[in-house]
């Protein structure tokens, strides 16, 4: 998606450790008009799928998922990363490892909100090693819902997640795929 | 706001410990069309303020803030709850205590995204003892930005937060205020 690539080139900042900071428009400060354009693009790429629910994971996926959901006219469910006293009853859980935070945590979704009748589109901001996405896919599979696909804003194509997800047969759409990056350059696939 | 009160009465569930679960429409599964109505109501209540930025805190405030921001045509900034390797540079921090998670944590915002030129509306899903909101207000004050007000979806009027915030002179708008609740009843102010 050219608008996204242009914005990454303009406002993205590469940091040591293969970190791409897009916190001025995507995941700390959020440019809502721009994110609406991402939402429209996700709708265009999954227009023929009978999506009933958008699934994401806290925290930085939530805003993107909510804006995108307006084009699908479906609810959002966001997976939580830690047990809370507000989450009781039956829950689906999966363990995932965070690249950003360098720790393992449980990802949790109430069973009430994913059923075998659901057709699920997963949306998230980044795909790197794929652990978060694989955890969400695991939960969708446990619920009996149909996984219609996954929409990612930025895929780090030089990490293994995208290949792993595609090898699973998942319909994966990444709006920008970065093949490699240096301090001075971001190269897209 | 009658639409919200009706929805709480229909789908809210009271749990022991003064917990009101609204996770079927507000903060786990999110009814985006409904949340758009909340966004319009926030715009109506702060129509005369020159808002330049909406501030919220991860995780459950983010979606509501993003939907509401569409009616204000301004960016959202969400405060983060833990130090991450993606958050470097100069940051504003404030310590807050979570009623839900029963722990103390740092709330962090990059200094780049709050400046003395900003006129800030804080948006969050719940106001109970007010600690999260007071932490955000503390950060707005540190930044030199103008605090134009705070918009809350559900205020627990039987806890002290609302009174503390109003006593600080903050323009606080809660779309529903619960005066008391029992297992069988939710009473609004």
């Amino acid at each position: 998606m050219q608008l996204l690539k242009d914005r990454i080139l303009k406002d993205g900042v590469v940091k040591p450790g293969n970190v791409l900071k897009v916190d001025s428009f995507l995941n700390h400060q959020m440019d809502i008009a721009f994110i609406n354009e991402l939402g429209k693009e996700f709708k265009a790429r999954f227009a023929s799928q009978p999506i009933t629910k958008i699934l994401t994971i806290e925290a930085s996926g939530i805003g993107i998922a909510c804006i995108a959901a307006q084009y699908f006219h479906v609810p959002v469910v966001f997976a939580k990363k830690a047990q809370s006293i507000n989450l009781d009853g039956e829950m689906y859980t999966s363990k995932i490892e965070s690249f950003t935070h360098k720790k393992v945590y449980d990802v949790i979704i109430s069973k009430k909100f994913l059923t075998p009748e659901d057709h699920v589109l997963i949306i998230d901001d980044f795909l790197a090693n794929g652990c978060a996405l694989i955890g969400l896919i695991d939960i969708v599979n446990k619920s009996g819902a149909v996984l219609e696909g996954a929409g990612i804003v930025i895929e780090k194509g030089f990490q293994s997640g995208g290949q792993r997800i595609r090898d699973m047969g998942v319909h994966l759409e990444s709006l920008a795929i970065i093949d490699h990056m240096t301090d001075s350059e971001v190269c897209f696939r």
Side-chain angles (χ1 to χ4, degrees), chain A:
Chain A
M1 185 190 182
Q2 197 58 45
L3 182 77
L4 171 61
K5 293 178 186 174
D6 291 345
R7 189 65 180 267
I8 293 169
L9 293 175
K10 176 172 166 278
D11 292 328
V13 179
V14 180
K15 293 282 178 179
N18 276 327
V19 172
L20 174 65
K21 285 171 66 83
V22 288
D23 60 353
S24 65
F25 61 97
L26 193 67
N27 55 16
H28 185 20
Q29 180 166 257
M30 303 184 69
D31 179 339
I32 302 298
F34 171 78
I35 292 169
N36 264 284
E37 296 304 316
L38 305 182
K40 287 179 204 170
E41 181 70 16
F42 282 130
K43 175 61 184 174
R45 295 195 185 199
F46 293 98
S48 60
Q49 269 77 51
I51 312 289
T52 65
K53 209 157 272 184
I54 289 179
L55 176 64
T56 188
I57 184 166
E58 64 178 22
S60 49
I62 298 174
I64 300 161
C66 286
I67 297 293
Q70 297 177 122
Y71 299 96
F72 291 87
H73 306 288
V74 300
V76 169
V77 175
F78 66 88
K80 305 201 175 194
K81 281 181 182 168
Q83 186 75 32
S84 115
I85 60 163
N86 280 346
L87 255 183
D88 64 357
E90 301 243 330
M91 291 172 286
Y92 297 114
T93 66
S94 189
K95 284 200 186 303
I96 70 175
E97 190 176 349
S98 167
F99 171 77
T100 312
H101 297 91
K102 300 192 187 309
K103 62 182 178 186
V104 175
Y105 49 85
D106 285 309
V107 109
I108 302 164
I109 296 176
S110 173
K111 288 187 178 178
K112 288 179 295 190
F113 304 133
L114 271 188
T115 74
E117 286 71 45
D118 278 317
H119 292 251
V120 177
L121 172 63
I122 299 173
I123 283 187
D124 207 358
D125 58 342
F126 270 96
L127 171 59
N129 62 25
C131 288
L133 188 46
I134 288 168
L136 292 176
I137 292 169
D138 176 50
I139 284 177
V140 173
N141 290 339
K142 284 173 177 165
S143 77
V146 177
L147 179 66
E148 292 288 348
I152 298 294
V153 181
I154 303 172
E155 177 181 337
K156 289 177 170 174
F158 52 88
Q159 289 187 249
S160 62
Q163 191 62 49
R164 289 170 71 189
I165 302 295
R166 289 183 182 92
D167 287 349
M168 293 165 72
V170 173
H171 177 187
L172 172 63
E173 294 279 351
S174 300
L175 303 188
I177 302 177
I178 296 172
D179 258 342
H180 57 92
M181 55 189 197
T182 66
D183 288 359
S184 57
E185 200 179 33
V186 175
C187 296
F188 297 103
R189 187 167 299 175

